[in-house]
Amino acid sequence: MDELLQQINGYKQEVESVSAKSADEVEQFRIKFLGTKGIVKTVMGEMKNVPNEKKKEFGQILNEFKLFVEAKYESLKESGDAAEEAGDHYDWSLPGSPIAVGTRHPLSIVRNRIVSIFQRLGFALAEGPEIEDDWHNFGSMNLPEDHPARDMQDTFYINTNPDWLLRTHTSSVQARVMEKQKPPIRIICPGRVYRNETISARAHCFFHQVEGLYIDENVSFADLKQTLYFFVQEMFGKDVKVRFRPSYFPFTEPSAEMDISCLICEGNGCSVCKHTGWVEILGSGMVHPKVLENFGIDSNKYTGFAFGMGIERICQLKYRVNDLRLYSQNDIRFLKQFTSAI
Ligand code: PHE
């Protein structure tokens, strides 16, 4: 009987040392040890040769051996499955799942184009805060407290401090730059502005502007016209016509609004140009001497021009977007229609 015991111990060691890397190897183990002609069956068959007085003792030993082999089989099955998932049977040549690539927002595309056109003319990028104080947004821009032109821009004020507001135009950045920098100044500043308007297809409580400011000796209205004309040609192409109309802004004198020939109907008349063939794209003018003096710039020595345009309007003309609300709804079906290199 010692022989049988030795045999069992030998098998136990063998079982213990088995490891399987695949389902095939697990199956081989099962056939060898647990199959109909397997080792466990054979060893159990030895019971008939065991003398009666030892049957109880050996029965227990054989049973334990059987349970030991079955437990090993179960654990091999688990680790075999894991190994399989982890790679042995993985087809590495399968194509990967596509990674969705985002697109730039149409307003960012247009803003980047505007900024880069002016950068080529030597304008430097400038930025200012969206929460402003009265002085930078209004006062220094020649709009004293009781000035009726303040009503042109319905302002959001900050509850906790009546001096604070959400800037109504990027002209506040002109002020921020002039208080820090001496002429020559040549800056372009894109940014978000806020006005308390009811939201509709044609108006929103926030929108985006690009401000330009150029101050040096001998800057003239001809420079303003030529600079803006260059911009329009770069932005919209050589065939687009421009016209300047006299206008009023407290911070410029003289002031002018610039129209371009309607790109949607090519001047034939449509709802975008209100059947006039022209669309207004910006306000501009020669910087008011008072504004220069507010920042200690000698208005006898220096002159300058400034302009401000709405990015949404330019975007509307370029992409024919007819509802302002689309820009902030972030509907992926809208956003993915725009592509650009910059
Ligand atoms: N700040 C003006 C507006 O928001 C635009 C403007 C800027 C006009 C600079 C003249 C000069 O309407």
Side-chain angles (χ1 to χ4, degrees), residues 38-311:
I39 287 166
V40 169
K41 274 264 159 63
T42 317
V43 173
M44 295 295 247
E46 293 295 320
M47 267 301 273
K48 61 181 186 295
N49 303 326
V50 176
N52 276 344
E53 69 273 16
K54 298 240 171 174
K55 270 200 176 11
K56 191 171 170 216
E57 187 191 336
F58 269 84
Q60 243 173 12
I61 292 172
L62 290 172
N63 224 13
E64 266 169 28
F65 176 62
K66 188 178 171 223
L67 290 175
F68 176 73
V69 176
E70 282 172 350
K72 177 74 180 185
Y73 174 57
E74 289 304 320
S75 84
L76 282 180
K77 263 205 302 199
E78 268 175 38
S79 60
D81 286 352
E84 200 137 322
E85 270 168 35
D88 257 17
H89 287 259
Y90 191 80
D91 182 355
W92 294 104
S93 69
L94 282 174
S97 30
I99 299 166
V101 177
T103 52
R104 276 200 209 287
H105 194 282
L107 291 173
S108 303
I109 297 173
V110 168
R111 179 203 57 208
N112 291 351
R113 282 207 58 188
I114 298 171
V115 168
S116 81
I117 291 170
F118 283 101
Q119 279 179 329
R120 275 190 279 142
L121 290 176
F123 285 74
L125 194 65
E127 273 181 322
E130 290 180 19
I131 299 175
E132 262 303 0
D133 52 46
D134 196 275
W135 169 250
H136 291 94
N137 193 79
F138 289 131
S140 66
M141 289 288 113
N142 199 26
L143 282 112
E145 226 152 82
D146 50 357
H147 199 290
R150 285 194 182 205
D151 300 341
M152 282 161 66
Q153 303 176 351
D154 298 303
T155 309
F156 284 117
Y157 286 92
I158 308 276
N159 279 344
T160 48
N161 186 336
D163 194 43
W164 290 347
L165 46 86
L166 298 180
R167 69 179 177 195
T168 59
H169 53 184
T170 42
S171 301
S172 59
V173 188
Q174 288 190 37
R176 294 261 163 209
V177 171
M178 281 188 276
E179 76 187 354
K180 278 209 212 80
Q181 202 182 318
K182 294 272 153 275
I185 292 170
R186 194 156 43 182
I187 50 136
I188 184 88
C189 22
R192 181 174 286 183
V193 301
Y194 301 82
R195 291 183 197 179
N196 189 359
E197 301 209 30
T198 312
I199 296 169
S200 71
R202 298 171 150 271
H204 209 291
C205 59
F206 65 79
F207 57 99
H208 301 80
Q209 286 188 330
V210 178
E211 190 89 4
L213 175 68
Y214 180 17
I215 301 171
D216 203 346
E217 291 177 44
N218 300 319
V219 176
S220 70
F221 200 90
D223 296 324
L224 173 137
K225 279 176 81 175
Q226 198 53 41
T227 303
L228 294 177
Y229 186 53
F230 174 82
F231 162 72
V232 166
Q233 294 213 317
E234 290 295 301
M235 191 75 200
F236 299 108
K238 303 278 178 220
D239 297 334
V240 178
K241 295 198 260 308
V242 304
R243 75 176 184 191
F244 286 84
R245 280 178 294 104
S247 184
Y248 172 75
F249 299 101
F251 30 93
T252 48
E253 180 59 35
S255 303
E257 279 172 317
M258 189 175 83
D259 300 341
I260 62 170
S261 50
C262 183
L263 297 166
I264 310 283
C265 63
E266 287 170 357
N268 296 322
C270 68
S271 63
V272 172
C273 63
K274 300 195 192 93
H275 300 279
T276 63
W278 295 94
V279 190
E280 182 213 315
I281 64 161
L282 57 81
S284 65
M286 300 307 291
V287 180
H288 198 291
K290 263 199 181 157
V291 174
L292 295 174
E293 299 296 341
N294 279 339
F295 296 99
I297 298 172
D298 182 353
S299 61
N300 292 313
K301 186 170 177 203
Y302 293 105
T303 51
F305 68 73
F307 58 87
M309 67 181 100
I311 303 182

Side-chain angles (χ1 to χ4, degrees), residues 13-29:
Q13 273 169 17
E14 186 184 337
V15 167
E16 198 129 34
S17 67
V18 168
S19 68
K21 282 187 220 72
S22 68
D24 266 0
E25 286 176 18
V26 177
E27 180 62 4
Q28 275 164 24
F29 175 88

